[in-house]
Amino acid sequence: MSVPGLSINLATVRKQWNMREAAEACVRHGITAIAPWRDQVDAIGLDEAVRVVRDLGLQVTGLCRGGMFPAATAELRQAAIDDNLRAIDEAHALNADCLVLVVGGLPGTRDIEGARMMVQDGIEAIRAHAAQAAVKLAIEPLHPMYAADRSCVNTLQQALDMAGAIGPEIGVAIDTYHVWWEPGLADQIARAGHENRIFAHHICDWLVPTRDLLLDRGMMGDGVIDLAGFRAMIEKAGYHGPQEVEIFSAQDWWTRDGDEVLRICIERFQSLCAARQD
Ligand code: ZN
């Protein structure tokens, strides 16, 4: 039995399996889409990763991740750009729907606006290569608790403003975990759809309490996010692509049997994540 509309971001089972094992497990469970991280691709080699995707007939809903542009020196900024160019080539080889950009935080300064300019400059420096490779670039706004170290782009509105300033081909990855709280979210999701900038939709839940800033994301249904309402906004905006489960969970889901994790992902996806029309 297949599970249409569901993708598994392979970070969700990164402690249990390597990329091939995880992809084969997804297929075993009827899941037809995945999103690997670059370190997972590296671990088995790009050629093997491409074979896995091709042999199993999987859709790749995104490659995680490019970005991390701000840096203290011109050399380091160039190194970041070079690394992003390689990420674009990998995304192309994997036929990924997009390269997800986690854009980076402060480069050892207190100048967050300066960091945001470095992000914009960085994306502008790679956009031609991305276009040539037919790889879509998706800015993923991250919750503001990551503004210093992971992403100085923190709201969907801000991500859309930046995408708009760079060019019509730049899009966004909309992750429930990062933007569920954003004032005016419905308007921004509608805007993203209207501008054809929704390239990916990630899901998981926000736990109360959250015990770790990075590694305590919740399974859908275990937290406070209205996932069905969120999906309704996404579909109303014209995006009908897969929902990609992305859970980093050092104390819980990474300690469980991988097949159990996938089984529960499917159950929760089917019972809680279909768009509620109201
Ligand atoms: Zn995400």
Side-chain angles (χ1 to χ4, degrees):
M1 225 182 53
S2 87
V3 189
L6 176 63
S7 173
I8 299 293
N9 184 298
L10 297 188
T12 306
V13 286
R14 69 154 55 249
K15 300 297 178 191
Q16 290 91 341
W17 291 313
N18 72 17
M19 181 178 165
R20 172 175 276 283
E21 293 162 344
E24 288 173 348
C26 284
V27 169
R28 227 170 29 239
H29 286 264
I31 296 161
T32 58
I34 60 168
W37 283 63
R38 291 181 71 201
D39 67 300
Q40 295 175 305
V41 172
D42 275 353
I44 63 169
L46 180 60
D47 292 346
E48 168 71 355
V50 168
R51 264 195 302 276
V52 166
V53 166
R54 198 188 43 219
D55 292 352
L56 298 174
L58 289 162
Q59 178 181 359
V60 176
T61 51
L63 177 65
C64 294
R65 60 179 196 223
M68 295 293 168
F69 294 107
T73 67
E75 281 92 18
L76 289 171
R77 287 193 290 280
Q78 187 57 50
I81 287 166
D82 293 342
D83 186 55
N84 275 273
L85 298 178
R86 286 191 293 275
I88 288 166
D89 294 340
E90 292 164 22
H92 173 78
L94 290 162
N95 197 26
D97 294 345
C98 63
L99 175 65
V100 174
L101 301 179
V102 172
V103 298
L106 297 172
T109 68
R110 295 186 173 87
D111 181 6
I112 194 164
E113 288 305 329
R116 287 168 176 155
M117 279 314 304
M118 289 179 191
V119 170
Q120 189 168 326
D121 291 347
I123 297 172
E124 279 169 355
I126 65 170
R127 65 185 282 218
H129 188 66
Q132 211 164 32
V135 169
K136 299 204 272 186
L137 300 174
I139 300 172
E140 181 169 18
L142 261 52
H143 188 281
M145 68 180 170
Y146 303 115
D149 61 347
R150 289 177 194 281
S151 176
C152 56
V153 173
N154 307 105
T155 64
L156 182 54
Q157 178 169 22
Q158 186 192 359
L160 289 168
D161 287 348
M162 184 176 285
I166 297 168
E169 83 281 19
I170 308 296
V172 293
I174 302 180
D175 188 326
T176 58
Y177 192 73
H178 295 300
V179 300
W180 66 275
W181 58 275
E182 183 172 340
L185 182 63
D187 289 345
Q188 295 305 320
I189 290 176
R191 171 189 170 197
H194 183 70
E195 296 176 358
N196 289 316
R197 295 193 201 272
I198 305 177
F199 293 171
H201 177 205
H202 302 171
I203 58 171
C204 70
D205 215 335
W206 184 278
L207 297 177
V208 180
T210 290
R211 299 164 293 180
D212 183 284
L213 292 187
L214 185 62
L215 304 179
D216 195 27
R217 298 191 188 192
M219 177 62 67
M220 297 82 75
D222 290 347
V224 298
I225 301 176
D226 174 11
L227 291 158
F230 199 110
R231 181 64 182 182
M233 291 189 273
I234 294 273
E235 291 188 3
K236 198 169 159 205
Y239 182 82
H240 298 276
Q243 304 191 48
E244 177 185 317
V245 177
E246 185 184 37
I247 299 174
F248 313 153
S249 175
Q251 297 177 54
D252 191 350
W253 299 99
W254 283 349
T255 71
R256 301 203 195 192
D257 175 70
D259 285 299
E260 179 195 353
V261 175
L262 293 185
R263 206 159 48 238
I264 296 173
C265 282
I266 292 168
E267 278 169 25
R268 300 292 180 85
F269 168 73
Q270 290 178 332
S271 61
L272 298 169
C273 301
R276 186 184 65 241
Q277 309 298 339
D278 54 16

